[in-house]
């Protein structure tokens, strides 16, 4: 048994720093064959540990984490500022929700059952290259220090600062899990964007409603803008939305979640040393124009595992170049106010078949389809923005806080 004051060193094939969406997804794929040893380092409960959150994504057929899906919606709805409503059926895709705590339990159980996987509760500190691999310095909850050596390290911790960017917006939000006194929700329809809320002077705002039962839903108030609000301001916006717009009548708030996701055209490095890689949001998996990350993380984890199985260590880009270029134009057009955000998104859902739009957001459309999508946006302001972008400098920006304790 080790004495608490003696630094300890352990060796494995792969260390994954951070056991959140990307870390645990990658661990799942890397341990599938049982041919390598994988240690996931996840912070003990405390300030470093990410709060519980809800991840939504769309998928066709069955997925790797179906057992963790707690709700799914076959239809999506968008409300314009004037109350015009569009309900779309994204079949063969469906919109799904996973709670991070359920995902974590499932992934931890799989890791425990796997031949070479293990979870280490410790706070990771420095990660540095060493001959033949890399090492991670960790501190366990009881204060012991531990060095993990591995052939490869995949780091998913949120970066303290974001790489320089031309545009940096934030998708920031607070959500309430509400229970109403009478049935108020249609569990078959998720409200993806409800622009009937008061619009901010800069950026855009929308409501987001994910029904879990006729009398239960996650109701969120979201903004795409430069700076997150105070909790008091989110609460006021949510109360207005639930009362005046959704007319929920009497309801109880059972719990809440809050977060901020970077929306930026920064270039996130994925390889930061010969044996050290960044994955997840830290490695650019967040789609700049939407904040969606979970689906890209799944694609990336499968690709990393397949590459390692084939003897290559690499993290492929989570989003294609064309998608990133189009997102950069959209972010800048929103930030400068050249386009009206609510009209832009409502029109997309009105004018583009929903399955094509969702495939576009997954980076799965052809150049021809993307050209068609581009033509259905406000062509003048978007073109003007595209022409000016290459001449704009990339500047450093602070990273937004990615989550906050709810209640
Ligand atoms: C509230 C919220 C809701 C979101 N909803 C959606 C959604 O609906 N759909 C979607 O696609 N995306 C969503 N996102 C964006 C994105 O999917 C999530 O942020 C996702 O968790 C990103 O995965 P990740 O692995 O990059 O980071 P995380 O899941 O945050 O994982 C990082 C992990 O590192 C751990 N960690 C941090 N520091 C240390 C340390 N020093 N040592 C050890 N461990 C450490 C943390 O505890 C955490 O578990 C949401 C984000 C937030 C904040």
């Amino acid at each position: 048994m080790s004495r608490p004051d003696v630094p300890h060193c352990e060796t494995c094939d792969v260390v994954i720093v951070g056991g959140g969406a990307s870390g645990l997804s990658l661990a799942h794929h890397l341990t599938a064959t049982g041919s390598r040893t994988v240690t996931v380092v996840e912070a003990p409960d405390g300030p470093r540990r990410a709060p519980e959150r809800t991840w939504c994504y769309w998928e066709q057929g069955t997925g790797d984490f179906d057992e963790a899906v707690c709700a799914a919606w076959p239809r999506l709805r968008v409300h314009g500022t004037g109350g015009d409503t569009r309900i779309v059926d994204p079949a063969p895709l469906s919109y799904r929700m996973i709670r991070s705590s359920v995902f974590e339990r499932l992934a931890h159980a799989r890791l425990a059952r796997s031949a070479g996987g293990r979870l280490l509760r410790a706070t990771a500190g420095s990660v540095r290259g060493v001959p033949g691999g890399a090492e991670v310095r960790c501190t366990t909850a009881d204060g012991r220090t531990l060095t993990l050596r591995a052939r490869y390290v995949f780091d998913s911790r949120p970066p303290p600062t974001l790489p320089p960017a031309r545009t940096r917006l934030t998708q920031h939000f607070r959500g309430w899990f509400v229970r109403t006194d009478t049935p108020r929700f249609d569990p078959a329809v998720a409200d993806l964007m409800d622009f009937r809320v008061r619009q901010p002077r800069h950026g855009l705002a929308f409501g987001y409603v994910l029904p879990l039962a006729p009398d239960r839903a996650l109701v969120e108030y979201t903004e795409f803008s430069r700076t997150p609000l105070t909790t008091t301001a989110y609460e006021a916006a949510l109360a207005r939305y639930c009362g005046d717009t959704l007319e929920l009548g009497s309801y109880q708030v059972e719990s809440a979640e809050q977060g901020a996701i970077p929306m930026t055209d920064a270039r996130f490095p994925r390889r930061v040393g010969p044996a050290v890689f960044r994955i997840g949001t830290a490695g650019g998996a967040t789609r700049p124009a939407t904040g969606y990350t979970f689906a890209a993380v799944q694609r990336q984890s499968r690709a990393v595992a397949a590459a390692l199985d084939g003897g290559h260590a690499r993290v492929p880009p989570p989003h294609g170049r064309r998608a990133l270029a189009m997102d950069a134009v959209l972010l800048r057009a929103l930030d400068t106010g050249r386009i009206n955000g609510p009209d832009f998104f409502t029109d997309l859902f009105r004018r583009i078949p929903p399955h094509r739009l969702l495939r576009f957001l997954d980076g799965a459309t052809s150049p021809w389809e993307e050209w068609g999508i581009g033509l259905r946006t406000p062509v003048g302001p978007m073109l003007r923005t595209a022409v000016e972008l290459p001449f704009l400098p990339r500047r450093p920006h602070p990273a937004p806080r990615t989550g906050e304790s709810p209640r």
Side-chain angles (χ1 to χ4, degrees):
M1 189 188 263
S2 64
R3 287 204 339 259
D5 54 339
V6 177
H8 207 79
C9 186
E10 292 178 11
T11 307
C12 56
D13 296 324
V14 173
V15 169
I16 298 173
V17 182
S22 62
L24 289 175
S25 301
L26 182 59
H28 165 72
H29 289 286
L30 291 183
T31 52
T33 56
S35 59
R36 55 176 78 86
T37 48
V38 177
T39 298
V40 178
V41 184
E42 170 58 19
D45 288 343
R48 299 264 181 205
R49 184 147 156 75
E52 181 168 21
R53 55 190 69 175
T54 308
W55 295 310
C56 287
Y57 60 102
W58 45 87
E59 197 167 47
Q60 178 174 347
T62 55
D64 293 321
F65 292 98
D66 282 353
E67 287 163 70
V69 171
C70 57
W73 300 272
R75 289 197 296 285
L76 302 173
R77 187 163 50 197
V78 174
H79 300 273
T81 43
D84 47 314
T85 295
R86 177 118 171 92
I87 297 183
V88 297
D89 174 358
L93 301 163
S94 75
Y95 198 59
R96 302 173 188 184
M97 177 204 267
I98 284 184
R99 295 283 291 155
S100 61
S101 54
V102 181
F103 171 84
E104 228 180 56
R105 272 198 300 278
L106 174 66
H108 289 179
R110 287 179 181 172
L111 208 56
R113 280 199 307 270
S114 70
R118 72 152 177 162
L119 175 73
L120 174 72
R121 285 285 185 187
T123 302
S126 64
V127 176
R128 64 180 191 112
V130 293
E135 66 175 32
V136 184
R137 294 284 175 97
C138 304
T139 309
T140 58
D142 57 5
R144 277 183 310 128
T145 52
L146 184 65
T147 301
L148 298 176
R149 268 206 194 128
R151 178 73 194 87
Y152 301 112
V153 172
F154 294 89
D155 193 348
S156 70
R157 287 173 297 176
T161 54
L162 293 177
R166 295 168 297 199
T167 313
R168 200 263 316 154
L169 292 177
T170 299
Q171 176 176 154
H172 53 96
F173 49 91
R174 184 169 176 85
W176 282 345
F177 285 89
V178 299
R179 185 184 289 272
T180 52
D181 284 359
T182 52
R184 293 278 169 179
F185 305 107
D186 177 354
V189 186
D191 283 312
L192 214 53
M193 292 181 132
D194 183 348
F195 290 109
R196 293 174 295 170
V197 299
R198 195 185 294 165
Q199 291 300 313
R201 272 211 301 274
H202 174 261
L204 59 90
F206 58 89
Y208 178 58
V209 183
L210 302 174
L212 304 167
D215 62 344
R216 283 193 308 120
L218 171 59
V219 180
E220 287 191 0
Y221 172 83
T222 302
E223 285 193 12
F224 293 179
S225 63
R226 287 193 193 145
T227 320
L229 305 181
T230 61
T231 298
T232 315
Y234 288 122
E235 296 264 305
L238 272 167
R240 266 198 309 275
Y241 182 52
C242 288
D244 303 345
T245 311
L246 299 179
E247 298 180 347
L248 295 187
S250 181
Y251 63 88
Q252 294 83 48
V253 178
E254 296 187 322
S255 60
E257 73 173 37
Q258 188 166 314
I261 305 172
M263 303 178 80
T264 164
D265 63 356
R267 294 185 184 127
F268 290 80
R270 299 187 304 282
R271 188 168 203 157
V272 290
V276 183
F277 300 85
R278 293 217 184 113
I279 55 168
T281 296
T286 296
R287 181 83 196 243
T290 63
Y292 282 108
T293 313
F294 192 81
V297 154
Q298 301 314 317
R299 289 194 298 273
Q300 193 177 53
S301 306
R302 278 192 289 271
V304 171
L308 271 187
D309 287 344
H312 309 286
R314 62 186 186 92
V315 173
H319 304 290
R321 281 175 182 219
R322 288 195 313 270
L324 292 181
M326 288 170 93
D327 283 9
V329 174
L330 172 57
L331 287 184
R332 171 91 185 149
L334 281 175
D335 194 29
T336 53
R338 273 182 206 141
I339 59 167
N340 176 307
D343 290 351
F344 179 91
F345 285 104
T346 323
D347 277 355
L348 280 187
F349 277 92
R350 218 186 340 252
R351 304 176 69 184
I352 298 165
H355 56 91
R356 187 176 307 159
L357 189 55
L358 298 187
R359 278 199 302 112
F360 166 66
L361 295 177
D362 277 341
T365 35
S366 65
W368 181 245
E369 286 174 311
E370 286 160 21
W371 176 248
I373 291 172
L375 288 178
R376 283 168 181 78
T377 64
V379 174
M382 295 294 272
L383 264 184
R384 185 178 152 206
T385 308
V387 169
E388 108 187 334
L389 265 183
F391 303 101
L392 295 175
R394 291 178 184 270
R395 296 206 171 90
H397 296 280
R401 293 172 62 201
T402 52
E404 194 167 294
S405 191
R407 290 204 105 177

